Amino acid sequence: MTYIRPASSQIDLWPSLGLELDWNKLLTFGKKGESFQVPSPALAAIGASYEPSSHGFNGPLSTCITPHATPGDLHDIFNNTFKALGIPPRHEFSGGELRGFGLQAVTQDGIADVREDAARAYYYPFADRQNLVAMVNTTATRMLWSQDSSDGNAVASAAEVMNMNGEVSTIYADREIVLSAGALRSPAILENSGVGNSEILSRQSIDTKVHLPSVGENLQDQTTFTISALALNRNFTGYPPFVAHTSIYDLFGSNAPSLFNSTLAKLPDYAQTIASQNGGASSAAVQERILRTQLDLIFNSNTPASEIAPIGTGNAIGSAIWPLQPFSRGSVHVSSPNKTALPSIDAKFFQLDFDGQLAVATARFARQLLTTAPLSAIINATTINPSFDLVPADASDEVWLDWIKTKSGYNPNYHHLGTCAMLPKDMGGVVDNEFRVYGTQNVRVVDLSVIPLQVAGHSTSLLYGVAEWAAQKLKANGAYRSKA
């Protein structure tokens, strides 16, 4: 998985929203878990570089610039083409600054030549511990409750799970339950347990234990699609580890101030749209405040607007692209009394027109990349997709957006987050700064669902850093110390 940390300005915003984590803390926790492998001279020769201060070297998770990087001159061709379009080279993408083109790190042990993941880094080395049991081929369905605490908070006593044969078991909890099922399943498990919007729960005959309308709301993901062509007399091998981040000014140039003003004027309507469909999770005033912070990040900080990932595979060449900061907010909720049924996902892609404007501008830039030297010299121009017959050089935003929605084959980027947001409760929060679910005594959520706003970079690196932060909190309060 790609390993790029967010822009520093995005994380430094979080304390203004009530979170304790800022960029310096995230970088510290991220480095704690990382074991970065220095690029070899062969990789350096094709563009690989790094800044030691941006990486950890003694953590459990191996990262590297893949040794399978595309050989030859493709890096230099892309680099010089991006420079021709005003995008500078960038030698490090995990230090909080992202604008530029370069090579990205991945979660891979480049020495052993195996993909790295959480199991290899955090489970396998400790799998023989007597107090650690992994139940495979098993699905968590809900939590069970005991008598409320003296201050009225719900106390979870057990987790109910089902194996692949449909057999249900109960796992009792002496202290706490930590839910880490991801941004699509964690809110569903909370709802199946009676924690959520009572109106949604009642439709599935679920008794409400904690009325918390924000559960499952605030879903945010990016949309991704490809601008591509066929290369002339080229057959690219290896893995293309290239990435570029563009600012709003790279995409809109002198029109950026006008876009800022027009979008600012729309924020009240955007906020009302979000508030009207989130079941009382937060007010329009709260949503307008959050949207304004996003707008300011995009226009007045080092937060990039889009990611462009150049591709060279076989004789195909181009870019996978996605706008990084969607304003639209979706939801994920249970939709069946069957507790193992998949939840219903409504991503609301392109509901707010700012998201479409960013997608169109990014697509224009990516096609311009294909027609700019030196990259244009190795491309068969008649194979560019979308073609200039389909989307003319002077095509309007409407023509471009129609192509994106109906012909590009766009997909979710699978960076979904936000559905159990760490925010104050009156701002749509589900968990507090201790990762504890509001209204409960001993239930925590630790996964990407707690991240309140979409970020640049890639969510893998963010998640590992946040998980290290959560682990410190869990250990510090004594929840996981051995009993006397």
Side-chain angles (χ1 to χ4, degrees), residues 144-145 156-160 169-177:
L144 306 177
W145 306 94
S157 59
E160 186 179 270
S169 301
T170 301
I171 304 171
Y172 291 93
D174 289 336
R175 297 183 180 124
E176 292 193 321
I177 292 177

Side-chain angles (χ1 to χ4, degrees), residues 14-337:
W14 287 6
S16 71
L17 300 177
L19 283 72
E20 295 175 357
L21 193 67
D22 60 18
W23 166 253
N24 285 331
K25 291 179 182 176
L26 177 66
L27 181 60
T28 298
F29 286 116
K31 290 165 66 173
K32 177 183 177 183
E34 183 186 16
S35 181
F36 181 73
Q37 298 170 350
V38 175
S40 67
L43 284 172
I46 58 171
S49 58
Y50 74 106
E51 292 291 338
S53 60
S54 298
H55 293 280
F57 296 89
N58 298 298
L61 181 76
S62 295
T63 67
C64 68
I65 295 174
T66 179
H68 301 286
T70 305
D73 61 353
L74 189 57
H75 167 270
D76 290 344
I77 291 173
F78 274 126
N79 189 38
N80 289 327
T81 306
F82 274 106
K83 285 197 292 185
L85 294 174
I87 308 301
R90 176 153 296 283
H91 303 292
E92 176 59 69
F93 287 100
S94 283
E97 297 288 340
L98 296 178
R99 179 176 176 261
F101 167 80
L103 274 67
Q104 60 194 6
V106 294
T107 51
Q108 178 185 359
D109 185 333
I111 298 172
D113 199 17
V114 294
R115 179 173 176 171
E116 189 79 343
D117 55 32
R120 289 184 185 277
Y122 288 93
Y123 171 66
Y124 293 157
F126 311 104
D128 292 337
R129 286 186 177 180
Q130 295 301 306
N131 63 346
L132 177 62
V133 177
M135 300 177 66
V136 298
N137 300 316
T138 302
T139 300
T141 57
R142 63 171 177 162
M143 291 171 288
L144 306 177
W145 306 94
S146 60
Q147 185 175 352
D148 289 355
S149 65
S150 58
D151 56 3
N153 287 324
V155 178
S157 59
E160 186 179 270
V161 301
M162 180 182 295
N163 68 17
M164 61 189 300
N165 298 317
E167 299 167 337
V168 176
S169 301
T170 301
I171 304 171
Y172 291 93
D174 289 336
R175 297 183 180 124
E176 292 193 321
I177 292 177
V178 179
L179 180 57
S180 300
L184 301 181
R185 293 310 296 258
S186 284
I189 292 173
L190 285 176
E191 290 180 333
N192 280 324
S193 307
V195 180
N197 187 326
S198 57
E199 292 186 11
I200 293 173
L201 303 185
S202 66
R203 293 176 205 150
Q204 310 306 331
S205 302
I206 300 171
D207 293 332
T208 299
K209 184 65 177 178
V210 178
H211 176 60
L212 193 57
S214 45
V215 172
E217 299 295 333
N218 194 48
L219 174 64
Q220 298 163 57
D221 198 0
Q222 302 139 343
T223 51
T224 182
F225 52 97
T226 301
I227 306 292
S228 62
L230 297 180
L232 292 168
N233 303 315
R234 291 277 188 140
N235 184 50
F236 302 108
T237 60
Y239 171 80
F242 310 122
V243 67
H245 295 90
T246 55
S247 75
I248 199 76
Y249 299 96
D250 296 321
L251 300 178
F252 288 90
S254 61
N255 293 322
S258 175
L259 177 64
F260 174 87
N261 290 330
S262 63
T263 306
L264 181 63
K266 295 175 185 176
L267 291 189
D269 290 339
Y270 287 176
Q272 185 59 49
T273 296
I274 295 170
S276 69
Q277 62 197 21
N278 71 11
S282 58
S283 67
V286 165
Q287 288 300 324
E288 185 173 352
R289 175 189 169 189
I290 292 174
L291 290 171
R292 178 59 193 265
T293 64
Q294 280 189 277
L295 189 67
D296 286 338
L297 280 174
I298 295 169
F299 283 86
N300 300 315
S301 79
N302 68 348
T303 294
S306 291
E307 181 166 330
I308 299 174
I311 298 167
T313 304
N315 68 339
I317 194 164
S319 298
I321 62 177
W322 53 94
L324 290 163
Q325 307 299 314
F327 277 21
S328 301
R329 302 290 195 267
S331 63
V332 54
H333 293 294
V334 291
S335 57
S336 168

